[in-house]
Amino acid sequence: RPLHRGVHPQEGGAEGKELAAKGADAATSEAPRKMDAFTLAMELERQAGESAESIPLRYKNRTFTLSGRAKYVRKDGDVYRVAFDIPEQRDRAFGNLGRKSYSKMDISCLMAPSHSAWAIALREGEKIRLTGKYYDFDDIKRVMWLGGCKPE
């Protein structure tokens, strides 16, 4: 669905990047986007395959409430990092359903310092629902980080 003059946000070029930046600025006052972590990972896989450079512009200042299962908890500097368990493509029940295949994308939350005890008590495979703000994206490591995360 075109957003502006026939340009899609997944398209590259100056117009696509400009629209992604405008969308990110508009998102600063919105409520958190609530979704499953797997769904966001699939969205990121597709977008990174089309234009990884647009992801930071597209998600800057956006807040998410993500649901899923904990893959692991690790100390990361002064905070704890909680990674969502995103299945490998070969382990997905429906495969890629004929769509173009991209590399698996991971999502991790850097917990707010006040929630360290909660993160330490978390166990692998436990259901989680975390709210955090876009922090960073690394196309080489295939991961997006949310910062200041708190459990819901």
Side-chain angles (χ1 to χ4, degrees):
R1 175 176 89 178
L3 293 177
H4 179 67
R5 291 179 285 161
V7 176
H8 293 270
Q10 59 267 41
E11 289 181 10
E15 269 190 321
K17 288 180 182 178
E18 180 183 334
L19 288 170
K22 285 180 184 177
D25 290 340
T28 59
S29 63
E30 292 180 16
R33 184 175 170 197
K34 296 179 181 182
M35 62 193 314
D36 183 81
F38 176 73
T39 303
L40 179 59
M42 295 286 289
E43 182 178 299
L44 289 167
E45 287 174 23
R46 181 185 50 78
Q47 291 169 351
E50 294 166 354
S51 174
E53 295 80 23
S54 70
I55 289 177
L57 292 172
R58 190 177 306 221
Y59 293 100
K60 178 183 173 187
N61 297 322
R62 291 203 176 188
T63 302
F64 295 88
T65 298
L66 299 178
S67 302
R69 293 195 179 271
K71 183 174 184 178
Y72 62 79
V73 177
R74 302 275 189 279
K75 183 99 164 116
D76 193 341
D78 294 336
V79 297
Y80 285 88
R81 177 172 24 108
V82 177
F84 282 91
D85 189 7
I86 308 295
E88 294 287 340
Q89 204 166 54
R90 68 179 179 273
D91 299 330
R92 296 177 186 170
F94 300 107
N96 67 6
L97 299 176
R99 292 174 286 202
K100 188 173 177 182
S101 176
Y102 303 108
S103 299
K104 177 185 166 246
M105 192 68 64
D106 286 315
I107 300 172
S108 287
C109 276
L110 300 171
M111 299 303 295
S114 60
H115 292 285
S116 294
W118 180 89
I120 292 169
L122 189 62
R123 299 293 168 242
E124 181 180 324
E126 192 172 329
K127 286 184 180 181
I128 54 176
R129 185 174 167 96
L130 302 173
T131 297
K133 190 173 186 177
Y134 171 84
Y135 178 75
D136 198 9
F137 170 75
D138 188 324
D139 188 40
I140 303 297
K141 293 180 180 177
R142 308 296 293 170
V143 64
M144 182 168 95
W145 291 278
L146 302 179
C149 292
K150 299 176 182 178
E152 289 289 311

